[in-house]
Amino acid sequence: MSDDWFVRQPIDRQITLVTEPYVDPYFSANIWLVRGADVDLVVDTGMGLRPLRPVLDLTPGKPVLALATHIHLDHVGGLAEFEQRLGPRQSAEAFATMPDALTFADEYREIAEPVSRLPHPDWVPADYRLTPAPLTRILDEGDVIDLGDRSFTVLELPGHSPDGIGLFDEKSGVFFGGDAIYDEELLDDIPGSDKAVYRQTMERLKTLPISIGHGGHGPSFDAKRMREIIDEYLAK
């Protein structure tokens, strides 16, 4: 199904990047679709301003997992569209209510221009709410997500948020970093952030043998660029 609210960009034969270009850039996050042999995986689900699932061209009858790298609004908006919902233990209970205190949805309702184009003709920012999406699987460090022909290990990566997680395919070196690391300005001064913990996460990532990293925002990056991002952060 086509919907020009979303832009889809194939990264390789299995991974597609989906973005929401009309969302305020601060809140516009990357959505990743990973097609597996037996199971497909959606890493983060955007803002939820328009239905996400129909634009992914999922195979009818094939299982699909929707995973939130953390509970911030720009990563969980479409989570309720999926039957199988995965997320971090640190914020697990909150997915059932999506409270403003953890998602920051209230901040989005208050900005001057939350979108550059209305998602619906009658849409108004004051009505924006996240749909509760209770988790069906709670993730911890070391858990494995098996797609049939590839698997990802869960990494706990707090700092930007207390509940941040990433995914690492040890065989191929593909890494999904959520908002723990991405190739734009990293945020460590918002409620729930912890700069000391973030530095520990960066030190851990410095030794991760990635081939390519896909972050929650910005372009993808190779191992050299990831080390540069880490070094820039640690030098602050």
Side-chain angles (χ1 to χ4, degrees):
M1 175 180 173
S2 177
D3 183 338
D4 64 1
W5 178 264
F6 299 93
V7 171
R8 294 183 295 180
Q9 176 187 349
I11 302 300
D12 59 30
R13 66 182 183 85
Q14 287 183 294
I15 298 176
T16 299
L17 168 63
V18 182
T19 55
E20 298 176 285
Y22 300 108
V23 174
D24 175 273
Y26 183 84
F27 291 96
S28 182
N30 293 334
I31 301 163
W32 300 98
L33 171 63
V34 185
R35 297 189 187 276
D38 301 326
V39 179
D40 290 340
L41 173 68
V42 182
V43 181
D44 292 328
T45 57
M47 292 290 293
L49 296 171
R50 289 176 68 99
L52 169 64
R53 184 171 181 140
V55 307
L56 298 179
D57 292 333
L58 298 170
T59 303
K62 185 180 181 183
V64 56
L65 308 176
L67 182 148
T69 59
H70 58 304
I71 201 172
H72 291 170
L73 74 162
D74 47 335
H75 299 263
V76 300
L79 193 62
E81 299 178 40
F82 300 87
E83 292 79 22
Q84 298 189 62
R85 301 177 295 272
L86 292 67
R89 181 172 297 280
Q90 178 75 21
S91 56
E93 293 183 5
F95 282 86
T97 57
M98 295 293 189
D100 287 351
L102 295 181
T103 64
F104 306 139
D106 53 333
E107 292 187 11
Y108 186 68
R109 292 194 291 269
E110 296 170 0
I111 65 174
E113 296 183 13
V115 293
S116 58
R117 169 186 153 190
L118 294 179
H120 304 283
D122 57 350
W123 185 83
V124 292
D127 293 337
Y128 179 74
R129 296 292 187 280
L130 290 166
T131 302
L135 297 182
T136 59
R137 181 180 173 188
I138 296 171
L139 299 174
D140 293 299
E141 172 78 24
D143 284 349
V144 174
I145 298 168
D146 186 359
L147 305 186
D149 55 343
R150 70 190 307 172
S151 61
F152 292 90
T153 300
V154 175
L155 308 178
E156 292 181 352
L157 303 173
H160 166 80
S161 64
D163 63 341
I165 60 173
L167 302 174
F168 184 50
D169 180 344
E170 297 172 3
K171 184 178 292 186
S172 69
V174 172
F175 168 60
F176 291 96
D179 278 5
I181 188 164
Y182 50 87
D183 199 355
E184 286 185 356
E185 181 182 0
L186 301 177
L187 299 179
D188 62 4
D189 59 354
I190 60 177
S193 295
D194 187 316
K195 294 181 181 181
V197 171
Y198 211 161
R199 294 179 72 86
Q200 293 172 2
T201 286
M202 288 300 185
E203 292 288 0
R204 178 188 189 186
L205 290 176
K206 204 170 186 178
T207 62
L208 195 69
I210 76 164
S211 60
I212 187 167
H214 304 301
H217 302 266
S220 299
F221 46 86
D222 61 14
K224 179 176 181 290
R225 179 57 187 151
M226 186 168 83
R227 287 192 295 270
E228 291 173 349
I229 296 168
I230 292 169
D231 288 341
E232 290 166 7
Y233 182 83
L234 293 175
K236 292 198 305 181

